[in-house]
Amino acid sequence: MAAFAEIFSYLLQTALSLLLFLLLLHFLLQLVRADFYNPISQMLIKITHPVLRPVRLLTPRLWGIDTAALLSLLLIQMASIAVILVVNGQSLPNVFLLLVWAILGIAALTVQFYFFAILAIIILSWIAPGTSHPAARLLYQLTAPVMAPFRGLLPPMGGLDLSPILMFIAINIVQIMLRHLAAGAGLHPALIMGI
């Protein structure tokens, strides 16, 4: 019976992780004002619409931030942690602690996303420089605002952009901080995606 619980927990966590990733991507694309007409953006909007539509009826858009996507991220992350705890036979914490854990999980997922996005940008610059693929354009649009402060710190070095090194150092520092915050909040790091 324990094997079935573990398999169920794994499948559920995988499905919820995918949904969280898609909602996070939707949120980030709107936050950086990425190309709405990009085919990948359009596909993402169609996939996340059924989840976001009911939440949009309850939440206003504030300061250009898609609060429906943000609230959906929090609720699904909280549900994910709660279900995994229940499946593993543990008791549920209070709602405030669950909310703190969800915020830490979303922060960890965001940091992990940017790690892989920047890695993909580096690889693309080697194998397909100047590509106009829709995915590459979205990656550039998503990473440009985050990379801009780091690009300002290092002068141009003969066509080499060394700012990703600084970005990876910053990502590692943030991941260490998130791990310690998660431990301080009593959350086992395995429950937080990306930590």
Side-chain angles (χ1 to χ4, degrees):
M1 191 64 175
F4 290 115
E6 187 176 343
I7 291 169
F8 175 73
S9 176
Y10 167 74
L11 291 175
L12 185 62
Q13 189 170 9
T14 301
L16 290 172
S17 296
L18 180 61
L19 180 58
L20 281 170
F21 174 73
L22 294 173
L23 287 170
L24 177 68
L25 196 54
H26 180 101
F27 176 73
L28 291 174
L29 287 172
Q30 288 193 343
L31 191 64
V32 301
R33 308 226 189 295
D35 182 12
F36 176 78
Y37 297 104
N38 185 303
I40 296 173
S41 296
Q42 289 294 310
M43 179 192 68
L44 189 62
I45 289 168
K46 288 177 184 171
I47 291 171
T48 56
H49 181 72
V51 174
L52 294 177
R53 184 173 182 222
V55 182
R56 282 198 204 294
L57 298 174
L58 304 172
T59 57
R61 197 174 167 92
L62 300 173
W63 306 292
I65 296 174
D66 187 0
T67 54
L70 193 57
L71 182 61
S72 297
L73 275 168
L74 281 171
L75 292 174
I76 292 170
Q77 178 72 10
M78 288 172 72
S80 172
I81 293 170
V83 167
I84 291 166
L85 288 173
V86 168
V87 167
N88 290 319
Q90 298 178 3
S91 61
L92 290 176
N94 65 49
V95 175
F96 176 74
L97 191 56
L98 203 57
L99 178 64
V100 169
W101 291 356
I103 291 169
L104 288 170
I106 292 167
L109 185 62
T110 305
V111 169
Q112 187 178 31
F113 166 75
Y114 273 105
F115 174 83
F116 287 110
I118 292 168
L119 192 61
I121 290 289
I122 292 169
I123 293 169
L124 278 173
S125 72
W126 292 339
I127 62 172
T131 184
S132 63
H133 190 276
R137 285 197 313 262
L138 280 184
L139 277 176
Y140 285 118
Q141 290 172 353
L142 281 166
T143 57
V146 176
M147 293 295 295
F150 296 99
R151 286 193 173 116
L153 291 175
L154 292 174
M157 298 184 187
L160 287 176
D161 183 11
L162 299 178
S163 59
I165 295 171
L166 293 177
M167 186 67 190
F168 286 137
I169 291 170
I171 285 173
N172 284 328
I173 290 170
V174 171
Q175 285 177 330
I176 291 168
M177 290 171 36
L178 286 172
R179 270 196 304 274
H180 286 276
L181 285 172
L187 179 61
H188 190 277
L191 287 176
I192 297 184
M193 290 152 224
I195 294 185

